[in-house]
Amino acid sequence: MSPKILVIQHNLDDHLNELALPLIEAGLQIDSWDVENSPAPTDISGYDGIVSLGALAGVLEESENAWMSVERKMFEQALELEIPLLGICFGSQLLASAAGAEVYKVATPEVGWTKVDMSAGAAGSAAADPIMAALGDNPDVFHFHYDSFTIPENFELFGVTGDIPQAFKVGKRAWGMQFHIEVGLAAMHSWFATYARAFEKEGISVESQKAASAANYKAYLERSHAVGKAFAAEVTDFAASK
């Protein structure tokens, strides 16, 4: 039987995007939970991996979103069972919170392209981690978030922008990325149209972001596929060990 993963989708305009191809090519079976439109799985122990995507809602709004406490319990169970978990943007923030971090609003939201400093951990630590190594050295990444979080003792921090954590690991098989490693060129342009006012509010030119996307998208696509391939390998290994 093929390894099976659960993909948690919070909004219709943020889905697996470019991560879908490497996961499918690795032979994984994908189940999706749309938190607003479908019932939550009752038991995650039958899954060999979880991918949690971005969300318009934030962790600080958990009391207003009934699905969030359900997802939090899934994360806690995944950490306990060491099920491979990849949290992206909101998914990374909820993972951090489930592991004991305090989530808070950042003074300056990160919207659009920034560069991540991958030297936050011990020398060579990112290169030694199968998922983080796929990001490469100090990558240009695409952001869209207003929240961040503190760093609990059980974190392994790999990447930052200033004092904002960007790439980390919790326990044996749970990884978080604050940036949207899944988003490809088509989705970026869709967001430029849908969320133009959000860029403008932060004093960021949409046209400059379009130019950055044109310059960076090929390398970013390769990076996304590398992360997906690496995560699929972790899922496959976990499934084989059961």
Side-chain angles (χ1 to χ4, degrees):
M1 182 179 295
S2 299
K4 183 168 64 172
I5 67 170
L6 175 66
V7 174
I8 305 176
Q9 179 176 311
H10 309 97
N11 302 108
L12 294 179
D13 68 350
D14 188 18
H15 40 76
L16 271 178
N17 286 287
E18 305 299 346
L19 283 179
L21 181 61
L23 299 179
I24 291 293
E25 287 186 336
L28 304 188
Q29 177 183 336
I30 297 176
D31 286 353
S32 296
W33 172 36
D34 182 323
V35 301
E36 297 287 358
N37 297 296
S38 60
T42 56
D43 182 15
I44 66 163
S45 62
Y47 288 103
D48 303 302
I50 298 172
V51 177
S52 176
L53 301 166
L56 293 176
V59 173
L60 297 175
E61 301 166 290
E62 185 167 350
S63 63
E64 303 165 30
N65 296 276
W67 53 264
M68 206 177 295
S69 60
V70 176
E71 186 171 352
R72 177 185 293 277
K73 290 177 182 177
M74 288 181 180
F75 281 20
E76 292 170 349
Q77 186 179 3
L79 289 170
E80 180 181 354
L81 298 177
E82 297 183 341
I83 298 172
L85 193 162
L86 177 61
I88 298 171
C89 196
F90 166 82
S92 76
Q93 295 159 8
L94 186 61
L95 171 59
S97 179
E102 178 184 351
V103 175
Y104 61 90
K105 293 291 182 185
V106 294
T108 303
E110 289 187 305
V111 180
W113 289 97
T114 62
K115 187 178 290 291
V116 170
D117 177 2
M118 293 296 290
S119 63
S125 61
D129 181 85
I131 305 299
M132 295 301 159
L135 292 172
D137 296 329
N138 303 332
D140 293 298
V141 301
F142 194 81
H143 280 100
F144 210 115
H145 72 95
Y146 297 82
D147 297 348
S148 189
F149 44 84
T150 58
I151 304 297
E153 293 182 1
N154 59 342
F155 266 39
E156 187 172 0
L157 182 63
F158 296 99
V160 297
T161 52
D163 60 354
I164 297 177
Q166 297 293 345
F168 64 91
K169 185 176 184 179
V170 182
K172 188 175 181 180
R173 293 193 179 95
W175 295 267
M177 298 178 185
Q178 278 261 54
F179 43 90
H180 284 277
I181 192 62
E182 84 286 7
V183 172
L185 188 60
M188 291 173 197
H189 276 270
S190 176
W191 289 8
F192 293 148
T194 302
Y195 305 112
R197 291 182 180 177
F199 285 91
E200 293 167 0
K201 184 178 180 181
E202 302 306 323
I204 299 171
S205 163
V206 170
E207 293 306 313
S208 71
Q209 292 300 304
K210 290 179 181 178
S213 294
N216 294 331
Y217 83 90
K218 287 185 179 179
Y220 204 52
L221 177 62
E222 293 174 0
R223 195 165 284 126
S224 177
H225 284 185
V227 168
K229 183 177 180 180
F231 185 71
E234 291 293 316
V235 170
T236 301
D237 288 347
F238 176 77
S241 70
K242 291 169 68 174

